[in-house]
Short mmCIF file of all heavy atoms in Angstrom, two decimals:
data_model
loop_
_atom_site.label_atom_id
_atom_site.label_comp_id
_atom_site.label_asym_id
_atom_site.label_seq_id
_atom_site.Cartn_x
_atom_site.Cartn_y
_atom_site.Cartn_z
N PHE A 203 -2.55 -22.67 -0.31
CA PHE A 203 -3.95 -22.94 -0.65
C PHE A 203 -4.92 -22.03 0.11
O PHE A 203 -5.98 -21.69 -0.40
CB PHE A 203 -4.30 -24.42 -0.44
CG PHE A 203 -4.27 -24.89 1.00
CD1 PHE A 203 -5.39 -24.78 1.80
CD2 PHE A 203 -3.12 -25.44 1.53
CE1 PHE A 203 -5.37 -25.22 3.12
CE2 PHE A 203 -3.09 -25.87 2.85
CZ PHE A 203 -4.21 -25.76 3.65
N GLY A 204 -4.57 -21.60 1.33
CA GLY A 204 -5.47 -20.73 2.09
C GLY A 204 -5.67 -19.40 1.38
O GLY A 204 -6.80 -18.96 1.12
N TYR A 205 -4.57 -18.75 1.05
CA TYR A 205 -4.61 -17.47 0.32
C TYR A 205 -5.32 -17.65 -1.02
O TYR A 205 -6.16 -16.84 -1.41
CB TYR A 205 -3.16 -17.03 0.12
CG TYR A 205 -2.93 -15.78 -0.70
CD1 TYR A 205 -3.04 -14.52 -0.12
CD2 TYR A 205 -2.53 -15.85 -2.04
CE1 TYR A 205 -2.78 -13.37 -0.86
CE2 TYR A 205 -2.27 -14.72 -2.78
CZ TYR A 205 -2.40 -13.47 -2.19
OH TYR A 205 -2.13 -12.34 -2.93
N SER A 206 -5.00 -18.74 -1.71
CA SER A 206 -5.52 -18.92 -3.07
C SER A 206 -7.03 -19.11 -3.09
O SER A 206 -7.74 -18.48 -3.89
CB SER A 206 -4.87 -20.14 -3.73
OG SER A 206 -3.49 -19.94 -3.82
N TYR A 207 -7.52 -19.97 -2.20
CA TYR A 207 -8.97 -20.19 -2.22
C TYR A 207 -9.71 -18.92 -1.78
O TYR A 207 -10.77 -18.60 -2.30
CB TYR A 207 -9.36 -21.38 -1.34
CG TYR A 207 -9.19 -22.72 -2.04
CD1 TYR A 207 -8.32 -23.68 -1.56
CD2 TYR A 207 -9.91 -23.01 -3.20
CE1 TYR A 207 -8.17 -24.90 -2.20
CE2 TYR A 207 -9.76 -24.22 -3.86
CZ TYR A 207 -8.89 -25.17 -3.34
OH TYR A 207 -8.74 -26.37 -3.99
N ALA A 208 -9.16 -18.21 -0.81
CA ALA A 208 -9.81 -16.96 -0.39
C ALA A 208 -9.86 -15.98 -1.56
O ALA A 208 -10.87 -15.32 -1.80
CB ALA A 208 -9.06 -16.34 0.79
N LYS A 209 -8.77 -15.88 -2.32
CA LYS A 209 -8.76 -14.98 -3.49
C LYS A 209 -9.73 -15.47 -4.56
O LYS A 209 -10.42 -14.68 -5.20
CB LYS A 209 -7.34 -14.92 -4.08
CG LYS A 209 -6.36 -14.08 -3.26
CD LYS A 209 -6.61 -12.59 -3.45
CE LYS A 209 -5.57 -11.75 -2.75
NZ LYS A 209 -5.98 -10.34 -2.64
N ARG A 210 -9.75 -16.79 -4.80
CA ARG A 210 -10.65 -17.31 -5.83
C ARG A 210 -12.11 -16.96 -5.51
O ARG A 210 -12.93 -16.76 -6.41
CB ARG A 210 -10.51 -18.83 -5.95
CG ARG A 210 -9.22 -19.28 -6.60
CD ARG A 210 -9.20 -20.79 -6.70
NE ARG A 210 -7.94 -21.29 -7.23
CZ ARG A 210 -7.76 -22.54 -7.64
NH1 ARG A 210 -8.76 -23.41 -7.57
NH2 ARG A 210 -6.59 -22.93 -8.10
N MET A 211 -12.42 -16.91 -4.22
CA MET A 211 -13.80 -16.61 -3.84
C MET A 211 -14.19 -15.18 -4.20
O MET A 211 -15.38 -14.89 -4.37
CB MET A 211 -14.01 -16.86 -2.35
CG MET A 211 -13.98 -18.32 -1.96
SD MET A 211 -15.17 -19.33 -2.85
CE MET A 211 -14.06 -20.31 -3.88
N ILE A 212 -13.22 -14.28 -4.33
CA ILE A 212 -13.56 -12.93 -4.81
C ILE A 212 -14.17 -13.04 -6.20
O ILE A 212 -15.17 -12.40 -6.50
CB ILE A 212 -12.31 -12.02 -4.86
CG1 ILE A 212 -11.78 -11.72 -3.46
CG2 ILE A 212 -12.63 -10.72 -5.60
CD1 ILE A 212 -10.55 -10.81 -3.45
N ASP A 213 -13.58 -13.87 -7.04
CA ASP A 213 -14.10 -14.03 -8.40
C ASP A 213 -15.50 -14.63 -8.36
O ASP A 213 -16.39 -14.21 -9.11
CB ASP A 213 -13.14 -14.92 -9.21
CG ASP A 213 -13.62 -15.10 -10.63
OD1 ASP A 213 -13.82 -14.08 -11.33
OD2 ASP A 213 -13.81 -16.27 -11.06
N VAL A 214 -15.71 -15.60 -7.46
CA VAL A 214 -17.04 -16.19 -7.32
C VAL A 214 -18.04 -15.11 -6.88
O VAL A 214 -19.13 -14.98 -7.45
CB VAL A 214 -17.00 -17.35 -6.30
CG1 VAL A 214 -18.41 -17.86 -6.00
CG2 VAL A 214 -16.11 -18.48 -6.81
N GLN A 215 -17.65 -14.33 -5.90
CA GLN A 215 -18.55 -13.28 -5.40
C GLN A 215 -18.82 -12.22 -6.47
O GLN A 215 -19.95 -11.76 -6.62
CB GLN A 215 -17.97 -12.63 -4.14
CG GLN A 215 -18.19 -13.50 -2.91
CD GLN A 215 -17.59 -12.86 -1.68
OE1 GLN A 215 -16.38 -12.81 -1.52
NE2 GLN A 215 -18.43 -12.39 -0.78
#
Side-chain angles (χ1 to χ4, degrees):
F203 66 88
Y205 176 82
S206 299
Y207 278 119
K209 285 285 185 194
R210 288 181 184 193
M211 290 304 111
I212 292 181
D213 181 56
V214 173
Q215 282 179 287

